[in-house]
Amino acid sequence: MANPWEQHGAFSWCELMTTDTDAAKTFYAQLFGWEMQDQPMPEMMYTVLKSGGKEVGGGLMPIPNEAAGCPPTWGIYVTVDDVDATAKTTTELGGTVMRPPTDIPNVGRFAIIQDPQGAMLSIISYFPKAA
């Protein structure tokens, strides 16, 4: 394992879903000095956040169609060894799988879960890096 945030149970990524990515980019660039690196994806433009030329563990994106009507929000990812198994365990423990396990090309497999009290977070298993 190359990065400590890729171990099971570690917080590994923060992500802003917003209705106005340009305004968000301007705000956070001025607030924190973040640089923005746009990365085209099949359904959208994803922006990776950097500081001093290095990734800071976050990104931003437009709110996807399946979440239309949701307010802009920051979300967090927790690394797990097996997204599918963790999603199954979520339901066994009384939680809900809000978005089923899905692949993110060249990144990993993720799902969005909700605990029994209603708090939501994303879980992710990263694909092995090419040597």
Side-chain angles (χ1 to χ4, degrees):
M1 174 182 28
N3 299 309
W5 57 85
E6 291 184 15
Q7 75 180 29
H8 184 84
F11 289 105
S12 60
W13 194 256
C14 297
E15 183 171 77
L16 173 63
M17 291 191 302
T18 184
T19 55
D20 188 340
T21 55
D22 290 334
K25 289 177 187 181
T26 299
F27 177 81
Y28 288 107
Q30 292 175 358
L31 185 65
F32 298 128
W34 287 344
E35 298 116 32
M36 313 291 166
Q37 180 182 354
D38 288 338
Q39 296 183 346
M41 298 192 82
E43 304 93 28
M44 74 185 117
M45 181 65 69
Y46 191 86
T47 303
V48 173
L49 307 173
K50 295 185 171 192
S51 179
K54 296 180 181 177
E55 289 186 16
V56 294
L60 63 88
M61 60 186 268
I63 295 174
N65 291 336
E66 60 267 22
C70 292
T73 188
W74 279 96
I76 57 170
Y77 286 79
V78 173
T79 302
V80 296
D81 292 333
D82 184 327
V83 165
D84 294 84
T86 303
K88 183 175 185 279
T89 302
T90 296
T91 59
E92 291 168 356
L93 295 173
T96 305
V97 176
M98 302 301 290
R99 179 172 177 140
T102 305
D103 286 349
I104 303 170
N106 303 314
V107 175
R109 188 162 175 79
F110 87 107
I112 301 172
I113 62 170
Q114 185 177 48
D115 71 20
Q117 293 74 41
M120 293 176 29
L121 63 88
S122 298
I123 54 175
I124 190 165
S125 294
Y126 292 96
F127 293 142
K129 305 282 189 272

